[in-house]
Each structure stands twice: as structure tokens, then as C-alpha cells.
Amino acid sequence: VLGPSAGGNVALSVCCMLHDNNEKQPKGLILYYPNVTYMMNTRSQLKNQSILLNFMDYHYYSLSYTPNSIDRLNWKVSPILYPHLDSLASTIMFYSNKDMLLDHQLLLVDKMGKNIKSHAHNYLHGFCSRLKISKQTLPALKDFIDGNC
């Protein structure tokens, strides 16, 4: 199962639901700069804003996806809250040291323990899907494919 950003949220949530229902897990999970919660106000959200994702955009997306703020406390919406993250399928996560979601992504690495391999880079959030915006996109994707992250 693969997902970037909000798609990473969905991919991780699906794996959590499968685990919670004692269903078969996928062979693996690949996450690109995943958004693992819609809770806000971390240091990286305030510090690491960019043209591809800034605090106002993130706030808009959060309100669009979860208009009822109490839903953000549900692990099906914020899979970082799932109590058995270390029991999910083997996971590879690519994240950026410049991402405003960095703090949440590092928390995911901590909670998944040995079950996750993470690769840091210095590209902006959303670089995979923004070919026209980021001149770094194609080289970054090549790095990912070649395993140079």
C-alpha cells in the first residue's frame, strides 16, 4: 500500500483498520511525507512552511477533511494515535527535514520502532506531485528509486 501526504494518512489508516479487525496485512507500506494526524501546532508546522505547503493551506485542509475537530482524536483519522503501530506491516517512509509535518513523521518513526525504515531528504513537502513547481522533483524521485536517500 502506498500513499503520499493525505494519501499516506489513508494508507496508514487502512493498515490500522486491517490490524484492528485481525485481517491480513499488506506485504508492505510505503509512505511519502505522510500526514499522520490532523492535530496542529507543532514546532515544524510553524517553522517549515513552503510554497508547496504552508500553515494556512494545512489549516484549510484540516478543516476540510475534519470539520468536526473531535474527529481528529480518532485513530482512524489520525493514525498516529493507533496503539499498535509497531505491529503493522513493514513500512518504508520518505520524509523531508524541511517538511512542516516533520514532527509528526518523526513521532511515527518512534512509535513504529523496528517495523519502519525511514529516509530523510531535503526536498519540499509534495515534491513528488509538483513536477512544474520543483526543479528538484525528478532528481529526488530518481534518488528514491535508486535508494540513495
Side-chain angles (χ1 to χ4, degrees), residues 36-91:
V36 296
T37 182
Y38 288 98
M39 293 182 285
M40 299 196 251
N41 298 325
T42 67
R43 190 172 143 220
S44 64
Q45 287 174 331
L46 299 174
K47 177 184 169 196
N48 295 343
Q49 298 187 48
S50 73
I51 189 172
L52 299 180
L53 184 63
N54 59 53
F55 191 79
M56 293 302 294
D57 290 340
Y58 183 74
H59 184 69
Y60 170 78
Y61 297 140
S62 295
L63 290 175
S64 297
Y65 296 145
T66 56
N68 184 353
S69 62
I70 196 74
D71 291 339
R72 296 177 196 145
L73 300 174
N74 184 325
W75 62 258
K76 292 176 183 175
V77 174
S78 294
I80 193 72
L81 301 175
Y82 187 65
H84 307 291
L85 287 170
D86 59 344
S87 300
L88 299 182
S90 294
T91 302

Side-chain angles (χ1 to χ4, degrees), residues 4-44:
S5 195
N9 179 295
V10 172
L12 184 57
S13 293
V14 166
C15 290
C16 292
M17 285 186 242
L18 290 170
H19 182 269
D20 204 57
N21 291 317
N22 295 313
E23 298 286 337
K24 185 177 178 182
Q25 287 283 305
K27 291 190 184 226
L29 181 60
I30 301 173
L31 304 172
Y32 291 91
Y33 45 83
N35 181 21
V36 296
T37 182
Y38 288 98
M39 293 182 285
M40 299 196 251
N41 298 325
T42 67
R43 190 172 143 220
S44 64

Side-chain angles (χ1 to χ4, degrees), residues 115-132:
N115 225 18
I116 189 168
K117 289 184 169 60
S118 59
H119 303 276
H121 58 80
N122 289 316
Y123 303 116
L124 300 175
H125 182 94
F127 77 92
C128 288
S129 58
R130 310 292 170 109
L131 288 171
K132 292 182 179 177

